[in-house]
Amino acid sequence: MRTRTDRITAHDGTFDVHVWLPDSGSGPGVLLVQEIYGVGPYLDKVAADLASRGYVVAAPDLFWRLRPNWVAEHTPEGTRAALEFSEDFDLAHGVADCALTVAHLSALPEVSGPAGGGRVGALGFCLGGSVAYMLATQLELAAVLSFYGSAVPDATGLMERIQAPLLLVFGGSDPYIPRERVAVVEKAAEHRPNVVMYVEEEAGHAFHNSESPMFHQPEPARRAWEVATAFLDEHLPAR
């Protein structure tokens, strides 16, 4: 696996996009959208896993307008700092930056080659889960995976705009997204053949984050990741 940092120009500046390449050198593209902690060690682990499966992964620094390449620690203090810091994040700007990143990723020779064919999916966690969901209402993507996006329950009216295969993952015991709000999403997803709901009933928020002792739940994380990678294998196969 090789890594590098690309630069993308938006209308109001430039930002970094961290890229992971599979050993094969090419494959389908996956936009990886950060949590409130930034593009740090957890995103690096997820990206490395995806690259090992044959994907070209790109994670944009969505906090660049606030502070470029800002990363919080996965501690209670770091979490509080990340929550405060992310209050100034503009969701619409984040979605626009991700759209630029998808265009960049699609045009990469490593993604445009025979293995990838220019096809791109999106995967986001927490804040990134909300961004990936919103992005899917605007762009045609090969697959979209949203883990515990807190904005999703209040945006179910937009689900009809999403044509891509969509996997929505939630924790049934998430204090930030109460179970009754998850039920709203389940109701909206009924009879939509492109939408798959997956709820780990005993899991809380950010349960997949293996860098965060306060959130990580290994068994629910393992099961949810198996579902996620099977979803990618079905809709955006790398091999």
Side-chain angles (χ1 to χ4, degrees):
M1 184 188 68
R2 292 180 292 121
T3 63
R4 69 170 188 250
T5 302
D6 292 353
R7 297 280 288 173
I8 291 180
T9 300
H11 74 281
D12 54 347
T14 60
F15 59 94
D16 286 347
V17 175
H18 306 274
V19 178
W20 292 258
L21 298 170
D23 289 339
S24 63
S26 65
V30 173
L31 167 75
L32 181 60
V33 195
Q34 66 181 65
E35 295 185 313
I36 60 172
Y37 297 101
V39 184
Y42 169 59
L43 263 286
D44 185 71
K45 287 173 72 172
V46 173
D49 185 292
L50 291 170
S52 74
R53 298 173 187 271
Y55 295 99
V56 177
V57 185
D61 170 28
L62 296 188
F63 288 160
W64 67 275
R65 291 180 182 86
L66 303 174
R67 193 184 305 167
N69 294 307
W70 185 84
V71 175
E73 294 184 356
H74 290 85
T75 61
E77 296 77 17
T79 300
R80 283 194 293 271
L83 286 168
E84 293 175 5
F85 185 78
S86 62
E87 287 178 358
D88 294 324
F89 173 72
D90 186 287
L91 184 65
H93 278 155
V95 173
D97 290 344
C98 283
L100 290 173
T101 305
V102 167
H104 177 79
L105 190 54
S106 299
L108 290 178
E110 295 92 346
V111 176
S112 301
R119 303 188 71 214
V120 173
L123 164 63
F125 297 91
C126 189
L127 171 70
S130 297
V131 172
Y133 178 86
M134 296 302 184
L135 179 70
T137 69
Q138 302 179 16
L139 293 183
E140 182 178 345
L141 295 161
V144 181
L145 298 84
S146 170
F147 275 63
Y148 29 79
S150 59
V152 175
D154 291 327
T156 55
L158 299 176
M159 196 179 293
E160 63 184 16
R161 300 185 188 178
I162 300 175
Q163 301 303 311
L166 172 64
L167 173 66
L168 297 168
V169 177
F170 290 96
S173 303
D174 187 336
Y176 298 97
I177 310 174
R179 188 62 181 83
E180 59 268 24
R181 300 303 295 153
V182 176
V184 169
V185 184
E186 288 177 312
K187 182 67 176 177
E190 286 180 356
H191 312 303
R192 294 192 180 277
N194 65 311
V195 182
V196 176
M197 284 287 301
Y198 181 79
V199 182
E200 275 287 343
E201 293 294 352
E202 302 304 315
H205 195 69
F207 65 86
H208 185 264
N209 190 334
S210 57
E211 290 293 306
S212 177
M214 63 186 292
F215 290 124
H216 186 223
Q217 293 173 259
E219 282 306 302
R222 180 188 59 78
R223 290 191 295 265
W225 192 239
E226 286 181 354
V227 170
T229 53
F231 189 82
L232 280 173
D233 285 344
E234 179 180 358
H235 299 291
L236 189 64
R239 297 185 178 92

